[in-house]
Amino acid sequence: MADPEIKTYEPHHESQSAAVTESRPVRWVAMGTAFAFLAVFLLLPLIVVFHEALAKGIGAYTEALSSPDTRSAIRLTLLVAAISVPLNIVFGISAAWAIAKFEFKGKAFLTTLIDLPFSVSPVISGLVYVLLFGAQGLLGEWMKAHGLVILFAVPGIVLATIFVTFPFVARELIPLMQEQGNGDEEAALSLGANGWQTFWYVTLPNVKWGLLYGVLLCNARAMGEFGAVSVVSGHIRGLTNTMPLHVEILYNEYNAVGAFAVASLLAGLALVTLVLKTLLEMRYGAEIAAARGH
Amino acid sequence: MEVRVTNVRKEFERFPALHDVSLDIRSGELIALLGPSGSGKTTLLRLIAGLERPTRGAIFFGDEDASQKSIQERNVGFVFQHYALFRHMTVADNIGFGLKVRHGATRPSAQEIRRRASELLDLVQLSGLEKRYPAQLSGGQRQRVALARAMAIEPRVLLLDEPFGALDAQVRRELRRWLREIHDQTGHTTVFVTHDQEEALELADRVVVMSQGRIEQVGTADEIYDTPNSPFVYSFIGESSSLPVKVDNGEVWLADRPIGLQAPPHAPSGEALLCFRPHDVELLDGCSGCIAGTVAASRRVASTRRVELEVGGERQRVEIELPVDHPAAQKSRVAFRPRRWKLFPAS
């Protein structure tokens, strides 16, 4: 089961040696600085979001959330997440499976490629699709001839979201699968299981917590992505506005309550993700730590 | 099931792990693949299982060529070095796994699988642990579950990779006896890999000694120990000492002195290597025709004294064993002659 050598990232006050313990004032300054930073940069904005959202009372808040454009933005965001997260799961598992369990040429290249979205600005990811599918783009003419619409429509938003989020599941699973090796799979095969049975009964259960963790992060990013989606969306109200884009539009129209009401939903999603993540870490810390080799 | 390995060669990325290996395993036999790490013993086991494909050569199960069959089709029971138990399944589910994944009519009912699992648990003396998870078992218990799981599919051959490697000495000895009993009870053709010569010699009907991707010798414990057929087997199995000598005119010479040993009639003249067991020597009082040397070091090992001698002009070191209370142990010069020995061509 959990290898005793795998440590979770919890503070170990008891195990601190006297030699590295600083004097009291120094510790207070260090902790004070850290907390002050968190308060100013994380807590304060969060409070502001909810404060502004509720500035004109609960009634105005619920009214802002029930406007047709806002509802459409929420629906679109959920739709985009519902499409891109499962696709990411499929991609993440296949990539991790290939990288961790097999030797092949170009493996290092594939590993590097998976990290690409982390190192590229999301705006550029969006722009790539414009250059590819736009009216003057590489495939623009051909797509127009065939009546295909990707840019400034839901497919483009989904594509951009997938591009930005695809490392999340794979990056969680690769180190976990590499650590577990091929032993369990070989055992299953030797007992007569076919490839699918081996995957379903052995590989998947072995990585389920790492997978869930990756899905959680992937989902949070899919719903919250702004840059790449902004470039390909076209900002058509009620049609191609996701929640983050809708926040911007409402804010630019000086509709503070509306903007912050939608923002509060995104903040709420972040908080829920954080709580779930913490719960997962508490319950399955060792297994997840093993997955977090990076 | 009789297993025949014929002229098998295995390369990993063009590095040969096995060179032209042939081996006949008799039906119902318990056979050990023994060798140092890197000798190819695990590769040979994995080839028999179908976890690897041979680069050249074939493996027969009975009269049927198994080499092109997948591991699923071969129906072998494989016990992995670190057991590879499924950590999220109970002991009973682990054992029943091989039956659960069968298709159609060959797949027993859930009830039947449960019954078989508890039957096998009885066999491996772990009755009542059906509901435990692997993490809740000791190393020895996991080993037994792994064996029960491998036997559940009624394998044609049972293959064990370093079955006791990860266990402590006490449990090892116990499980060794127990494995022998299970084998005698069920009669499976069984091949196990080990680097522990004591384990191989004690447990197996026949031992296959391997080195550097080749089979050095195949034989019973007595044959391997008493008549090693190469300097490697001599030094790998039990204690051994060796000296570079010369064969001339039917006699064995150390430097310029005959040591009183008659070379076998067909031994060619020239350089040779003399091998013998340190305990299998005859002590002499001064001699003409013996090996004499200066005591360089002397250690007490269990119930005997091991003496290191410098012999000959080139001060070759050689080890012999003396009884603790033997007067020779106090002397600075000791003369002896091996009782049982063998000559090998100098390499």
Side-chain angles (χ1 to χ4, degrees), chain B residues 258-333:
Chain B
I259 55 176
L261 301 176
Q262 298 296 316
H266 46 79
S269 292
E271 304 278 317
L273 192 69
L274 174 73
C275 293
F276 58 93
R277 303 278 181 207
H279 63 87
D280 214 0
V281 297
E282 175 186 6
L283 292 169
L284 305 163
D285 302 318
C287 63
S288 53
C290 70
I291 303 170
T294 326
V295 176
S298 158
R299 289 174 286 134
R300 171 72 185 254
V301 178
S303 58
T304 62
R305 192 170 293 282
R306 206 163 286 169
V307 178
E308 216 174 293
L309 300 175
E310 277 181 357
V311 300
E314 282 164 49
R315 307 186 142 229
Q316 203 69 42
R317 291 218 168 183
V318 63
E319 257 191 3
I320 59 169
E321 257 177 42
L322 305 176
V324 171
D325 48 3
H326 196 281
Q330 312 303 326
K331 289 198 246 170
S332 60
R333 261 187 97 69

Side-chain angles (χ1 to χ4, degrees), chain B residues 146-307:
Chain B
L147 187 68
R149 183 177 69 175
M151 288 197 300
I153 60 170
E154 288 164 353
R156 297 194 285 179
V157 186
L158 205 51
L159 306 168
L160 303 94
D161 187 7
E162 297 272 5
F164 314 116
L167 303 170
D168 55 50
Q170 180 71 33
V171 183
R172 260 175 120 110
R173 269 194 294 279
E174 228 170 80
L175 276 186
R176 212 185 280 167
R177 203 170 46 236
W178 166 84
L179 180 65
R180 181 76 232 184
E181 277 167 23
I182 294 253
H183 177 264
D184 293 344
Q185 225 172 317
T186 59
H188 280 119
T189 306
T190 306
V191 186
F192 72 100
V193 157
T194 180
H195 61 262
D196 180 344
Q197 46 165 303
E198 195 187 314
E199 197 166 285
L201 295 175
E202 186 185 318
L203 190 54
D205 296 323
R206 285 196 305 157
V207 178
V208 179
V209 184
M210 298 186 66
S211 160
Q212 298 182 339
R214 289 192 172 83
I215 292 182
E216 293 277 337
Q217 189 169 5
V218 184
T220 62
D222 287 344
E223 287 164 0
I224 296 279
Y225 193 86
D226 293 336
T227 55
N229 66 1
S230 73
F232 172 80
V233 179
Y234 237 118
S235 61
F236 189 69
I237 308 288
E239 300 285 334
S240 79
S241 289
S242 64
L243 270 177
V245 294
K246 237 184 265 160
V247 177
D248 191 22
N249 211 6
E251 273 217 86
V252 182
W253 296 65
L254 179 66
D256 51 357
R257 299 177 55 189
I259 55 176
L261 301 176
Q262 298 296 316
H266 46 79
S269 292
E271 304 278 317
L273 192 69
L274 174 73
C275 293
F276 58 93
R277 303 278 181 207
H279 63 87
D280 214 0
V281 297
E282 175 186 6
L283 292 169
L284 305 163
D285 302 318
C287 63
S288 53
C290 70
I291 303 170
T294 326
V295 176
S298 158
R299 289 174 286 134
R300 171 72 185 254
V301 178
S303 58
T304 62
R305 192 170 293 282
R306 206 163 286 169
V307 178

Side-chain angles (χ1 to χ4, degrees), chain A residues 128-158:
Chain A
V128 169
Y129 288 106
V130 174
L131 291 176
L132 214 57
F133 301 125
Q136 273 79 46
L138 272 176
L139 302 173
E141 286 294 318
W142 181 83
M143 293 197 3
K144 203 172 163 191
H146 288 79
L148 291 171
V149 182
I150 287 185
L151 215 54
F152 310 129
V154 176
I157 297 174
V158 171

Side-chain angles (χ1 to χ4, degrees), chain A residues 178-255:
Chain A
Q178 272 173 338
E179 190 195 85
Q180 289 176 346
N182 283 338
D184 284 12
E185 280 77 13
E186 285 186 340
L189 293 174
S190 80
L191 292 166
N194 61 31
W196 174 248
Q197 288 170 321
T198 302
F199 174 75
W200 192 250
Y201 291 127
V202 176
T203 309
L204 201 56
N206 276 349
V207 299
K208 63 183 169 206
W209 297 115
L211 179 63
L212 195 57
Y213 193 85
V215 167
L216 215 56
L217 295 180
C218 177
N219 182 55
R221 183 66 189 266
M223 290 190 172
E225 176 55 28
F226 180 86
V229 170
S230 171
V231 177
V232 297
S233 133
H235 305 267
I236 306 164
R237 285 186 158 221
L239 279 179
T240 64
N241 254 355
T242 60
M243 283 164 74
L245 300 184
H246 196 54
V247 171
E248 194 206 18
I249 287 182
L250 290 175
Y251 187 76
N252 288 343
E253 289 170 348
Y254 303 105
N255 183 352

Side-chain angles (χ1 to χ4, degrees), chain A residues 1-2 103 176 179-195 197-198 200-208 287, chain B residues 13 46 51-52 71-72 75-78 80 83-89 94 97-103 107 134-135 142 149-150 153:
Chain A
M1 201 70 179
E103 290 302 324
L176 183 60
E179 190 195 85
Q180 289 176 346
N182 283 338
D184 284 12
E185 280 77 13
E186 285 186 340
L189 293 174
S190 80
L191 292 166
N194 61 31
Q197 288 170 321
T198 302
W200 192 250
Y201 291 127
V202 176
T203 309
L204 201 56
N206 276 349
V207 299
K208 63 183 169 206
E287 280 167 67
Chain B
E13 322 212 326
R46 290 172 63 87
L51 286 165
E52 311 282 355
I71 179 164
Q72 290 103 328
N75 194 27
V76 295
F78 201 101
F80 292 82
Y83 322 129
L85 294 178
F86 307 130
R87 67 201 87 175
H88 57 277
M89 291 185 204
N94 262 286
F97 183 83
L99 301 174
K100 190 176 102 175
V101 296
R102 282 189 187 168
H103 289 289
R107 177 179 165 168
R142 284 180 212 179
R149 183 177 69 175
I153 60 170

